[in-house]
């Protein structure tokens, strides 16, 4: 396992349930059993805060940890575009990833294809919460 994944997963500042959230979703990876709960505070189509709780592998934890830091102060449309491009990163297709999201290149990479569903679970849960 890549030590960088462990380092990313160790950032747990946003591992919490927001008290006054505007959006919420719970999701489960049926392949491995990872579970994810995400709460968001959104104002004027901008994500102001994100909290998460998960019972999951380190790959999923790294993905949600990074997402929780990168999603703040982002417009819902920017998030939707990022999620659409994220899945393409596992293949040979070159994706247009905005500079802000470039840290995800370490996770959403062909070398982690076997953990694709684990890495995408947080993104899918945010999409479900935001209904985008």
């Amino acid at each position: 396992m890549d030590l960088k994944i462990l380092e990313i997963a160790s950032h747990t500042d946003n591992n919490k349930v927001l008290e006054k959230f505007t959006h919420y979703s719970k999701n489960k990876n049926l392949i491995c059993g990872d579970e994810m709960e995400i709460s968001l505070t959104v104002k004027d189509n901008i994500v102001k805060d994100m909290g998460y709780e998960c019972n999951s592998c380190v790959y999923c934890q790294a993905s949600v940890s990074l997402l929780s830091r990168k999603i703040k102060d982002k417009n819902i449309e920017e998030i939707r575009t990022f999620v659409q491009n994220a899945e393409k990163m596992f293949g040979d297709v070159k994706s247009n990833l905005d500079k802000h999201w470039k840290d995800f290149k370490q996770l959403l990479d062909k070398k982690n294809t076997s953990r694709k569903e684990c890495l995408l679970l947080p993104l899918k849960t945010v999409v479900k919460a935001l209904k985008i």
Side-chain angles (χ1 to χ4, degrees):
M1 176 183 301
D2 187 345
L3 290 177
K4 188 66 177 167
I5 291 174
L6 290 172
E7 194 251 311
I8 293 168
S10 72
H11 295 278
T12 58
D13 295 347
N14 296 312
N15 188 354
K16 62 189 176 194
V17 175
L18 300 179
E19 288 186 25
K20 295 184 179 184
F21 58 84
T22 58
H23 296 73
Y24 170 86
S25 184
K26 185 175 183 177
N27 216 348
K28 184 173 183 172
N29 181 343
L30 298 177
I31 296 171
C32 67
D34 285 349
E35 294 180 328
M36 175 76 42
E37 290 183 56
I38 289 179
S39 51
L40 301 162
T41 303
V42 179
K43 185 174 180 181
D44 299 325
N45 285 329
I46 305 289
V47 173
K48 295 297 183 184
D49 200 5
M50 176 181 156
Y52 68 88
E53 288 190 323
C54 57
N55 185 9
S56 61
C57 69
V58 71
Y59 289 91
C60 190
Q61 291 171 23
S63 182
V64 74
S65 173
L66 186 56
L67 180 64
S68 71
R69 289 179 275 143
K70 292 294 188 176
I71 199 170
K72 292 178 184 176
D73 297 319
K74 286 292 165 196
N75 181 288
I76 290 175
E77 184 60 29
E78 290 176 85
I79 296 164
R80 185 186 64 75
T81 301
F82 163 66
V83 172
Q84 287 176 337
N85 287 319
E87 247 182 284
K88 297 174 188 171
M89 295 176 70
F90 289 97
D92 291 326
V93 177
K94 203 161 197 175
S95 64
N96 291 335
L97 198 60
D98 183 87
K99 184 179 174 183
H100 175 77
W101 305 100
K102 70 177 174 39
D103 292 340
F104 275 93
K105 287 183 180 183
Q106 300 169 53
L107 299 175
L108 309 178
D109 186 82
K110 198 181 340 186
K111 71 178 187 266
N112 293 326
T113 299
S114 65
R115 295 303 195 134
K116 179 179 178 179
E117 293 305 314
C118 301
L119 291 162
L120 292 177
L121 183 63
L123 281 63
K124 291 177 179 180
T125 307
V126 163
V127 165
K128 188 176 170 184
L130 294 172
K131 297 179 174 102
I132 54 175

